[in-house]
Amino acid sequence: MSDTPFGFGLPPEEPENGDEGKKKDQQSGGGQGPANPFAFGLSGAGGAGADNPLAAMFGSLNPNDLGAAFQQLGQMLSYEGGPVNWDMAKQIARQTVSQGTSDGTKDASVSPGERSAVQEAVRLADLWLDDATSLPSGSGSAVAWSRAEWVEATLPVWKELVDPVAERVGAAMGDVLPEEMQAMAGPLIGMMRSMGGAMFGTQIGQAVGVLAGEVVGSTDIGLPLGPAGKAALLPLNIEALGKDLSVPKEEVRLYLALREAAHQRLFAHVPWLRSHLFGAVEGYARGIKVDTAKLEDVVGQFDPQNPEELQQALQQGMFQPEDTPEQKAALARLETALALVEGWVDAVVHAAAKPRLGSADALRETLRRRRASGGPAEQTFATLIGLELRPRRLRDASRLWASLTDARGVDGRDGLWAHPDMLPTASDLDDPDGFVHREQLDFSELDKMLGEAAGGSTGKTDLGKKDDGAAEDDGAE
């Protein structure tokens, strides 16, 4: 877990002290540097923005920029929306993307040739996956996104993921004052909440902007970030990922298309899975504990003329998960669910790619390491909500799904997604053989009764159905 999961600010587009700053930047290697992509300004007494942290948000404060800077400050203080200023998050994410990645790569519009190549790769991937899984295609369309387009398309889902913990923080800001003082301090509380929303927006925008420079699709973090039924790949980032792999670019793109298409099948035809995963994230967020003693101290000494004091306090680890049985259970539930999703995708994609791609083993290992050892997704979530979103048992889950395929066949393996209670648990990952040979539970009668009680005409789950509700020919009655 990040020690300072709530540090805010945005690296300025230019050094704050003009040409002299540029010289210093060149000597030091420039700005934050790639070693810490989530250093948001107040990282040290001598760091950028140390004397004026708000400059990190506004860029270089020369006279020509003062008007825009004060306009943005006014927007920050007048914000009256939810716990996160998402307009600011979007603005800063787009600005971060426009600055390019640490290797100097700038975002670019997707060319017609790249768009066509992605569509063909997803089409071929779906054909290969037909032999590896009983779940039908979940990709109604295939799109190629620039980094900026990825930001635009995924922000609605980030809102759903981050708002729960931001709500807790916003409520804590108002609850630390005694009730008899809250009416008198109304304007101050309103200002703090506005600034809290802006600070969350700044942090989230920065984190999502950095992540946009590294992801290769819409499902990199194991959650469906894009619109339903839309398989998406980022050609620019795919090229960056593959340049050091000694693998033809076409094979890298096709392997990543297999992973994207496999995720799409799972989320499209397991109707409860999305809410299960998002519920696990929200359950974890509910266990985030606010250090009220520290917050009370900040509120008691808050000076409206020095809003950076609040920013510094938020950066110093005020929000930590509670060490309770409920919180540990929420984390275990989330980690197991992520491992099962990523393990299934890993096993299915390997089955589809191994006979057809000579580089399948090398690409599989590359993606496993990238996903399981702490990549951009983990950093982003550790920054946003203090949560390491990592499928720690990816390899265990993949082996279990492969064993299920051998023992029960493709249909028997995929049938476990029909009901959440049929899935392996964390203890099953410890004893995969025991789970594989255990008698399979049958929830069909329960589903039928529930369906009839709800006025439905059939007890079938949505597993294996098409998006429009029509049954597949290869298993529906």
Side-chain angles (χ1 to χ4, degrees):
M1 182 176 304
S2 172
D3 292 332
T4 58
F6 290 87
F8 302 97
L10 178 67
E13 290 189 30
E14 298 175 348
E16 295 166 3
N17 51 349
D19 293 337
E20 185 65 23
K22 292 179 181 179
K23 294 177 183 177
K24 292 180 180 178
D25 220 24
Q26 292 168 358
Q27 294 169 359
S28 62
Q32 301 284 356
N36 186 2
F38 294 97
F40 299 127
L42 297 172
S43 56
D51 294 329
N52 184 1
L54 291 180
M57 184 181 298
F58 299 138
S60 56
L61 293 180
N62 59 55
N64 295 328
D65 292 336
L66 279 176
F70 282 114
Q71 182 180 8
Q72 189 168 354
L73 178 59
Q75 292 172 352
M76 180 178 74
L77 296 179
S78 63
Y79 174 71
E80 297 180 351
V84 178
N85 189 330
W86 287 102
D87 290 337
M88 180 170 288
K90 178 179 175 180
Q91 175 186 345
I92 291 177
R94 292 292 301 263
Q95 182 179 348
T96 303
V97 165
S98 70
Q99 292 172 347
T101 52
S102 58
D103 63 358
T105 304
K106 297 285 188 178
D107 193 22
S109 299
V110 177
S111 69
E114 290 172 328
R115 202 176 307 278
S116 176
V118 165
Q119 291 171 346
E120 178 61 23
V122 173
R123 185 194 67 80
L124 183 57
D126 261 332
L127 288 176
W128 290 6
L129 288 171
D130 285 339
D131 296 332
T133 175
S134 62
L135 300 184
S137 174
S139 307
S141 61
V143 295
W145 284 340
S146 66
R147 294 166 179 170
E149 288 172 325
W150 182 89
V151 169
E152 294 278 354
T154 61
L155 270 180
V157 180
W158 289 115
K159 184 177 188 297
E160 187 175 349
L161 289 168
V162 175
D163 270 352
V165 68
E167 288 276 7
R168 287 185 59 82
V169 175
M173 283 185 169
D175 292 343
V176 294
L177 289 178
E179 185 174 350
E180 62 273 13
M181 293 181 59
Q182 290 190 18
M184 297 174 57
L188 174 60
I189 294 175
M191 179 183 296
M192 290 183 63
R193 285 181 173 171
S194 295
M195 292 188 62
M199 290 174 181
F200 265 108
T202 300
Q203 179 200 23
I204 292 164
Q206 172 72 0
V208 171
V210 172
L211 187 57
E214 302 183 16
V215 294
V216 295
S218 71
T219 55
D220 277 28
I221 69 170
L223 297 171
L225 293 180
K230 184 173 288 188
L233 295 176
L234 283 71
L236 182 61
N237 293 353
I238 291 175
E239 184 174 352
L241 173 67
K243 67 180 180 180
D244 297 325
L245 296 181
S246 301
V247 175
K249 180 171 65 175
E250 294 76 15
E251 293 192 19
V252 176
R253 180 171 56 235
L254 182 52
Y255 193 87
L256 295 173
L258 282 165
R259 289 184 54 83
E260 178 75 8
H263 277 104
Q264 293 293 337
R265 290 186 181 223
L266 196 58
F267 287 115
H269 299 292
V270 182
W272 54 265
L273 182 57
R274 186 184 190 277
S275 60
H276 180 75
L277 287 169
F278 281 60
V281 173
E282 184 174 355
Y284 183 87
R286 282 197 299 268
I288 294 293
K289 179 182 179 181
V290 179
D291 188 339
T292 55
K294 183 181 293 186
L295 189 56
E296 286 174 359
D297 184 60
V298 172
V299 172
Q301 302 179 25
F302 179 67
D303 181 357
Q305 296 182 357
N306 294 291
E308 63 269 19
E309 291 179 0
L310 179 61
Q311 182 173 349
Q312 289 172 322
L314 292 174
Q315 187 190 19
Q316 292 169 2
M318 190 177 293
F319 315 107
Q320 299 292 340
E322 292 184 294
D323 187 17
T324 63
E326 293 79 12
Q327 184 70 349
K328 291 178 180 178
L331 181 59
R333 175 177 174 234
L334 177 57
E335 288 181 340
T336 300
L338 286 171
L340 291 174
V341 169
E342 292 299 279
W344 183 88
V345 168
D346 181 76
V348 167
V349 168
H350 184 68
K354 178 68 173 176
R356 300 175 174 95
L357 285 180
S359 58
D361 288 334
L363 289 169
R364 182 190 201 188
E365 187 60 26
T366 297
L367 270 296
R368 275 183 167 187
R369 291 178 181 274
R370 185 174 186 263
R371 183 69 184 93
S373 63
E378 180 193 347
Q379 295 172 1
T380 297
F381 266 80
T383 301
L384 296 182
I385 59 176
L387 170 64
E388 293 180 353
L389 191 65
R390 187 196 306 181
R392 299 176 183 277
R393 308 194 64 180
L394 168 61
R395 294 176 187 269
D396 294 337
S398 182
R399 281 193 293 268
L400 187 147
W401 288 118
S403 297
L404 281 168
T405 307
D406 295 338
R408 302 185 186 181
V410 168
D411 290 343
R413 177 200 66 199
D414 293 346
L416 293 178
W417 290 106
H419 195 286
D421 289 344
M422 297 174 68
L423 287 178
T425 64
S427 60
D428 292 325
L429 295 180
D430 296 327
D431 181 23
D433 290 338
F435 178 83
V436 168
H437 299 293
R438 186 184 309 159
E439 183 177 355
Q440 184 174 346
L441 298 175
D442 185 0
F443 286 84
S444 59
E445 289 302 318
L446 175 60
D447 284 343
K448 183 177 181 180
M449 288 187 292
L450 292 175
E452 290 173 349
S457 60
T458 177
K460 297 281 187 181
T461 67
D462 287 343
L463 182 66
K465 292 185 179 182
K466 291 183 179 179
D467 292 338
D468 61 2
E472 285 292 305
D473 294 335
D474 61 352
E477 299 177 353

